Amino acid sequence: MSDQPITPILDRVHTPDDMKAMSDAELCQLANELRAETISAVSETGGHLGAGLGVVEMTVALHAVFDAPKDKIIWDVSHQCYPHKILTGRRDRIRTLRTEGGLSGFTKRSESPYDPFGAAHSSTSISAALGFAVARDLGGEGGDAIAIIGDGAMSAGMAYEAMNNAGHLGKRLIVILNDNEMSIAPPTGAMSSYLSRLYAGEPFQELKAAAKGAVSLLPEPFREGARRAKDMVKHMTVGGTLFEELGFSYLGPIDGHDMEQLLSVLRTVKERATGPILIHAITKKGKGYAPAEAASDKGHATAKFDVLTGKQKKAPSNAPSYTSVFAETLVNLAADDPKICAITAAMPDGTGLNKFMERYASRCFDVGIAEQHAVTFSAGLAAGGMRPFCALYSTFLQRGYDQVVHDVAIQRLPVRFAIDRAGLVGADGATHAGSFDVAYLANLPGFVVMAAADEAELVRMVATAAAHDEGPIAFRFPRGEGVGVEMPENPALLEIGKGRMIREGSQVAILSFGTRLQEAEKACEALTAKGITPSLADARFAKPLDRDLILKLAATHDALITVEEGAVGGFGSHVGQLLAEEGVFDQGLKYRSMVLPDIFIDQASPSAMYDVAGMNAAHIEAKVLDVLSVATLEKRA
Ligand SMILES: Cc1ncc(C[n+]2csc(CCOP(=O)(O)OP(=O)(O)O)c2C)c(N)n1
Ligand SMILES: CC(=O)[C@@H](O)[C@H](O)COP(=O)(O)O
Ligand SMILES: [Mg+2]
């Protein structure tokens, strides 16, 4: 049992309604207790700590002033939603965060009426909030629509698409820009510099004088309210021209940890806002917990940890992570090839490109949370004669898909896609699953699509990609550690479109694409003990397929089973298409394709998620036995 903090005021809060009668002083105390509870809970679960600590006061103020769930409070990314979940009736389950059957680590409509919109991918909150605002004004349910979006999330084009439309529609819409000068890493881009100028021109703490004068500059609806609030709102200046040009009133910057300011500004806005308004709040990621504040990522993502020391409790690693193998291989290749460059969308550490950045800063680009731009920027680099490696998580590549088709594939530009977090990812759950990239890439003419079966294969695939100038090429690999195989010193290039045999057997052939190969090997071991000796091959390529290997396996076995960490429409579908085109089914081949099921799988350990998906060794074994029994029955008939 954890030594949970003593929280007399928080104990009184079962829903935000219980906060409405609290004094401002009690709300301040509530924030302190909420921060302690958040730290305690995340110390037991691990997760996104820093962002939530940065919005504790904001969360209390929002739920004290507005009336959720009638008012729609929409958190961008929503990795900062843990304090929100504690205040909205889920404190009793907060220590199940990100676990099987537990609370999601992000907001989720099905989890609570206080989560009006799910998130996890960034920069969606303003669009969603505008949708609620328009629905409200069309006679739908709901009150205020409030989006809380971070400075990092403001680097994505979608946020501007939404503001552009909101400014045009002129609907009452409240956007709080939670500016902590952090993305996962320090933010990049001109927008980040712009925001800093809004409060760095003068020392933020000495804006009182400017605030008095600024009040008269505020748009009329706020002038009176601001006058009344000005002695409460210690720091206010009119800036934010960019936002005002987009049709928003700009209010700020305010101190996002000063409860008095927050309450007075939110009360004023609630009372007086007539159109879209952006409140610029300055916060500190990791606020109030020294180990988080001191961490380079401000406690963005933590394992379970000791509250007193902040020491994280990480499981010992038995093999290098796939991410580190990719990054180190690319760094080595770049030493001999000045054309190799690397692009990340605000995930330098997550993709391992921080290592590349250290060595080749002039050839490494963190474009911010801007996957669409990352893809087409990479296409431009390729068209300009470079060898760009665009490193994106599978799930985040989804955001740049039209750019993949329109700017890369149709022009057959040699962009290399390093697709990390392929397959099921564990605690981040369904929103982060890398389920669809094979399906949406292997159908594109001219694309080469590979999946590494282990870390040694990944090394070979990175080298093969670097040498492939004929067109776009993608290689995918999962979250987590490799299997501990020996790493190739001088990786031989793979022959494009060629797989490899792992074990020769009979009756049934298993054709694996990606790291399910290990599970397939376990299944073969188990089957061998039952006198069944399947053949096993590693396809390596979903495009182009190894036709010779597939047709040979089909011709020499009664049954062929494919297995991949992807949804239908990927590797197995293409194999089936080939077999059909070649008339192989006419000769009676039994074909089974093991793919992720047609559901979104909630967070659990990756192994447990693959159990739900029916894709672990036992399931592969069962599939072989099933198809053999069918074949046997048919022979008897
Ligand atoms: C489309 C997309 N790309 C990348 C990510 C990974 N990601 C999660 S949080 C984050 C940084 C968000 O920064 P900010 O909005 O400033 O929030 P903060 O963590 O500072 O509170 C990133 C890049 C994501 N969730 N969605
Ligand atoms: C919230 C978010 O989208 C990222 O922080 C993501 O959770 C990172 O995933 P990894 O932990 O796999 O790097
Ligand atoms: Mg930020």
Side-chain angles (χ1 to χ4, degrees):
M1 190 61 182
S2 70
D3 47 352
Q4 296 188 15
I6 296 166
T7 56
I9 297 194
L10 180 59
D11 294 347
R12 287 162 36 196
V13 178
H14 304 288
T15 73
D17 293 346
D18 301 323
M19 299 165 58
K20 296 296 189 279
M22 286 185 182
S23 68
D24 290 6
E26 284 177 313
L27 292 172
C28 283
Q29 179 53 28
L30 174 60
N32 296 334
E33 294 179 11
L34 179 59
R35 177 169 276 109
E37 176 69 350
T38 302
I39 294 166
S40 167
V42 182
S43 76
E44 294 181 42
T45 63
H48 295 101
L49 177 65
L53 292 180
V55 296
V56 164
E57 288 79 12
M58 192 184 293
T59 305
V60 170
L62 279 166
H63 281 299
V65 173
F66 290 96
D67 302 311
K70 178 174 177 291
D71 292 334
K72 309 303 178 189
I73 297 175
I74 297 168
W75 297 96
D76 203 281
V77 183
S78 78
H79 59 318
Q80 75 293 68
C81 74
Y82 304 174
H84 159 80
K85 292 201 172 188
I86 291 169
L87 291 183
T88 53
R90 286 166 280 183
R91 183 186 182 186
D92 60 328
R93 300 184 65 213
I94 200 68
R95 287 168 173 78
T96 68
L97 261 180
R98 295 161 50 91
T99 61
E100 189 170 358
L103 291 178
S104 166
F106 305 104
T107 51
K108 191 171 180 181
R109 283 173 53 85
S110 61
E111 194 177 281
S112 167
Y114 291 95
D115 293 0
F117 207 75
H121 285 203
S122 83
S123 318
T124 61
S125 60
I126 303 173
S127 299
L130 183 60
F132 277 106
V134 170
R136 170 198 65 212
D137 293 354
L138 288 173
E141 52 111 17
D144 263 318
I146 303 135
I148 305 99
I149 184 167
D151 55 306
M154 285 299 286
S155 58
M158 186 173 176
Y160 299 91
E161 294 168 15
M163 285 197 292
N164 181 50
N165 189 211
H168 169 70
L169 291 174
K171 299 278 177 196
R172 175 179 160 113
L173 173 72
I174 300 164
V175 174
I176 298 176
L177 169 54
N178 171 36
D179 186 0
N180 55 20
E181 288 201 288
M182 280 294 287
S183 182
I184 293 182
T188 60
M191 187 63 204
S192 166
S193 315
Y194 172 72
L195 293 177
S196 302
R197 282 198 306 277
L198 287 183
Y199 57 84
E202 289 177 81
F204 173 50
Q205 284 67 24
E206 290 150 23
L207 278 176
K208 238 180 245 175
K212 284 197 182 70
V215 164
S216 60
L217 298 176
L218 280 177
E220 179 43 45
F222 295 103
R223 211 166 291 164
E224 182 44 41
R227 275 200 191 88
R228 281 212 306 276
K230 76 173 177 297
D231 52 338
M232 302 286 282
V233 179
K234 293 185 183 59
H235 316 298
M236 179 184 281
T237 176
V238 175
T241 313
L242 171 70
F243 304 113
E244 291 168 332
E245 290 306 314
L246 286 170
F248 278 69
S249 298
Y250 170 83
L251 217 56
I254 67 171
D255 180 343
H257 298 296
D258 182 322
M259 188 63 79
E260 191 184 351
Q261 278 191 54
L262 285 165
L263 291 169
S264 60
V265 167
L266 291 179
R267 286 166 181 154
T268 303
V269 166
K270 178 175 180 177
E271 189 186 318
R272 296 189 164 275
T274 54
I277 178 163
L278 184 135
I279 302 167
H280 184 185
I282 312 303
T283 63
K284 181 184 275 191
K285 194 165 185 176
K287 173 81 174 179
Y289 186 56
E293 290 187 10
S296 59
D297 71 346
K298 305 303 175 196
H300 174 80
T302 63
K304 299 175 183 176
F305 60 89
D306 179 299
V307 173
L308 291 180
T309 64
K311 186 167 172 32
Q312 298 196 36
K313 302 168 183 172
K314 288 182 179 173
S317 65
N318 304 312
S321 69
Y322 283 98
T323 301
S324 65
V325 167
F326 155 65
E328 281 158 29
T329 306
L330 191 64
V331 165
N332 295 338
L333 292 168
D336 303 322
D337 183 348
K339 290 189 173 184
I340 289 180
C341 53
I343 301 91
T344 175
M347 311 283 287
D349 295 83
T351 59
L353 288 189
N354 54 336
K355 295 193 180 76
F356 193 97
M357 190 92 75
E358 285 162 14
R359 291 284 298 278
Y360 308 109
S362 66
R363 297 190 257 159
C364 193
F365 305 95
D366 178 354
V367 298
I369 308 181
E371 287 82 2
Q372 296 176 337
H373 166 62
V375 172
T376 303
F377 174 52
S378 300
L381 284 162
M386 297 303 288
R387 292 191 170 106
F389 280 75
C390 185
L392 296 170
Y393 290 14
S394 167
T395 191
F396 299 140
L397 178 57
Q398 291 164 189
R399 185 149 297 175
Y401 185 53
D402 180 57
Q403 287 73 16
V404 169
V405 178
H406 180 264
D407 300 319
V408 176
I410 290 176
Q411 300 188 105
R412 215 174 188 112
L413 289 169
V415 174
R416 285 82 169 165
F417 291 95
I419 301 178
D420 199 337
R421 276 47 172 199
L424 301 174
V425 297
D428 275 340
T431 53
H432 284 59
S435 305
F436 309 111
D437 56 274
V438 183
Y440 65 67
L441 293 178
N443 59 10
L444 298 177
F447 240 91
V448 175
V449 180
M450 303 182 280
D454 57 41
E455 59 272 37
E457 280 291 287
L458 179 56
V459 173
R460 298 183 189 105
M461 289 183 179
V462 179
T464 301
H468 186 74
D469 289 326
E470 292 70 30
I473 186 167
F475 51 94
R476 71 192 311 251
F477 49 96
R479 185 176 198 276
E481 292 177 3
V483 293
V485 294
E486 191 181 343
M487 302 291 274
E489 276 301 307
N490 298 305
L493 300 186
L494 300 175
E495 185 181 348
I496 300 294
K498 288 296 173 198
R500 57 176 177 148
M501 284 305 294
I502 303 295
R503 43 196 309 166
E504 300 284 355
S506 63
Q507 285 187 291
V508 181
I510 302 170
L511 183 54
S512 169
F513 179 66
T515 59
R516 285 296 92 185
L517 182 68
Q518 279 75 40
E519 293 301 306
E521 296 218 69
K522 288 179 201 166
C524 289
E525 293 301 322
L527 288 161
T528 302
K530 295 175 179 169
I532 299 166
T533 53
S535 295
L536 177 61
D538 172 15
R540 281 176 164 161
F541 294 82
K543 186 158 202 176
L545 288 175
D546 185 340
R547 292 171 54 88
D548 296 343
L549 173 63
I550 293 166
L551 296 178
K552 176 167 174 276
L553 290 173
T556 55
H557 294 78
D558 299 331
L560 176 62
I561 299 171
T562 62
V563 58
E564 65 197 281
E565 288 135 344
V568 67
F571 170 66
S573 299
H574 288 269
V575 171
Q577 179 71 18
L578 169 66
L579 295 171
E581 283 167 2
E582 297 295 322
V584 174
F585 294 126
D586 305 346
Q587 279 90 52
L589 175 77
K590 305 280 170 293
Y591 177 62
R592 302 289 185 274
S593 172
M594 297 180 77
V595 294
L596 293 174
D598 187 25
I599 55 172
F600 291 107
I601 300 176
D602 284 337
Q603 77 281 349
S605 69
S607 174
M609 294 175 85
Y610 280 114
D611 259 345
V612 172
M615 295 179 73
N616 281 324
H619 306 102
I620 299 169
E621 181 189 350
K623 188 66 74 178
V624 169
L625 294 172
D626 172 65
V627 76
L628 273 182
S629 63
V630 170
T632 309
L633 286 173
E634 283 198 347
K635 275 183 181 158
R636 285 189 193 136

